[in-house]
Amino acid sequence: MASAIITDANAYLVALLVLSLSHIPFSSSTIQQDFVMCLVDNSDASFPMDSSFFTRDLNASSYKMALETSAQNLRYLMPSNPKPEFIFEPLYETHVQAAVACAKKLQLHLRLRSGGHDYEGLSYVSEMETAFVIVDLSKLRHINVDLESNTAWVHAGASIGEVYYRIQEKSKVHGFPAGLCTSLGIGGHIIGGAYGSMMRKFGLGADNVLDARIVDADGKILNRAAMGEDVFWAIRGGGGGSFGVILAWKIKLVPVPETVTVFTVTKTLEQDGTRILYKWQQVADKLDEDLFIRAIIQPASKTPKSKERTISVSYQGQFLGDANRLMQVMQRSFPQLGLMKKDCVETSWIKSVMYIAGFPSTAPPEALLDGKSLFKNYFKAKSDYVEEPIPIEGLEGLWKKLLEEDSPLTIWNPYGGMMAKIPETETPFPHRSGTLFKIQWLTLWQDGKASEAKHIDWMRDMYSYMEQYVSKSPRAAYVNYRDLDLGMNGKGSDAREWGNKYFKGNFERLVKIKAKFDPENFFRHEQSIPTGLE
């Protein structure tokens, strides 16, 4: 098929690679040779082998770079962690089709990666099947913005920052309601829900998807009409790596004003921080839908030269409007924060996105095109949803826990607004009406395995303490903050233990769709949707 149209140069590279692989120990070389030849036979577009196919044996430094560049959690890059047999970076959709067909033919286990942000490393590490390969979609990043229809087609390997940039390149009054971390790969981001600072106004990224292109387990490309409404429902919040390879999303653009206002106000315990946060819990989900205020909580020094620590709460806000109207909203709804006009920065929507993402104020929008994460740490994360305000005594107990740990961080994101209006069965993402805010828990460290057990034990202890204050039956969690503590496939646990936490009543529908669409469970990982329940 493709071998008839492949370029002479590429044919030479393929032959050279296969020849080189012949010197590698039999099992690895056979797998790699067979996969390469299968790709050539099943793809109708050529690819430069030296920059698309990476193995430890042939191009070790390139392999290492390809494996590590986008991975955020250094816990899963330790020498003891399983490594892929090879990494394939497709240039065209037909390459993805060929990769799936060849992996199925050769009985290879696939891991799929678009941005590498998976908190438990599931897109680049497999603990359940050690002979695995990575299909990395980072070179599939084309974005086509169409203002006439208020839509855009975005390929899975593009970062959300690139998507924002390409939208604002064509219009200052269009945007998209997705992630706060601009290096997120759009493929895996939306398939888990995709929340952001405009969620209270427009819902999740997944709520604003009109169509998609995926590769199924047979290597076929399907759009919404071809996959059917059940599968289209499942991929808008059902989590990555379960139903197919997301190639591209068709997203709906949303209107944004020319002037957007941002601010950060920080309060410590000594500045009545506990009572202000208690009030935030009561109002954050009820504020004007144009206003998003998240709380970023962590230990801090009491004074610049002091070793004594306190708790710092930074209230970071984005308002879809000017500072004068923002001040009116705040004085009416949340005067306790003490926001002043001098705290407010009026800017464009794209610069407001960059502000929340932590870019310097002098950084140009083009900085979003870099797409590289600035966050690389050893860390453990968990998540919670809160349905009733945590009382003062609960907060004070939490402060004690946080002050026991070296570098903990927790971020509280408000719900309400549009999030409360969309039914919890509309997509697999069920955390809608009744949710006040979502909590992300993090603990970070720098010395790898040396102190890992200590920090993970602290996280589990803190999580246990918070059980009394968060959602119950189930204790809900966010699927894009993967947490293998909740349970895993193939470990003797009931998948409902973790499935109901991520998806509530939508989990059983996801299982039924999976059983019909991918009955052989080709797309799988430690927390993929199973084909059945015991």
Side-chain angles (χ1 to χ4, degrees), residues 44 149 486:
D44 60 6
S149 62
L486 303 181

Side-chain angles (χ1 to χ4, degrees), residues 230-274:
D230 275 349
V231 176
F232 185 65
W233 175 85
I235 62 174
R236 289 175 296 137
S242 288
F243 296 96
V245 186
I246 301 294
L247 294 174
W249 301 104
K250 185 180 183 182
I251 60 175
K252 178 175 67 178
L253 307 184
V254 301
V256 296
E258 290 189 5
T259 300
V260 175
T261 306
V262 292
F263 65 86
T264 301
V265 174
T266 300
K267 301 291 184 180
T268 64
L269 300 188
E270 292 71 30
Q271 297 169 309
D272 208 18
T274 303

Side-chain angles (χ1 to χ4, degrees), residues 19-40:
L19 181 64
S20 302
L21 289 170
S22 66
H23 300 291
I24 298 169
F26 179 74
S27 59
S28 293
S29 68
T30 302
I31 291 171
Q32 294 166 11
Q33 286 180 36
D34 289 350
F35 190 82
V36 168
M37 296 312 301
C38 183
L39 283 178
V40 171

Side-chain angles (χ1 to χ4, degrees), residues 299-313:
S301 298
K302 282 191 175 181
T303 64
K305 295 183 179 179
S306 171
K307 290 185 178 179
E308 193 176 356
R309 298 200 304 172
T310 183
I311 296 296
S312 159
V313 183

Side-chain angles (χ1 to χ4, degrees), residues 174-191:
H174 288 79
F176 183 65
L180 307 174
C181 175
T182 55
S183 60
L184 287 161
I186 194 75
H189 181 44
I190 288 180
I191 204 169

Side-chain angles (χ1 to χ4, degrees), residues 281-297:
Q281 295 182 85
Q282 297 172 312
V283 303
D285 70 307
K286 302 172 187 67
L287 295 171
D288 188 303
E289 291 180 11
D290 287 333
L291 179 56
F292 174 93
I293 305 176
R294 65 174 180 167
I296 303 169
I297 306 167

Side-chain angles (χ1 to χ4, degrees), residues 326-345:
L326 168 61
M327 290 304 298
Q328 293 172 8
V329 170
M330 290 297 287
Q331 287 163 9
R332 182 174 66 247
S333 304
F334 192 19
Q336 294 82 356
L337 184 60
L339 180 70
M340 301 178 69
K341 187 80 175 282
K342 67 180 178 62
D343 300 319
C344 303
V345 179

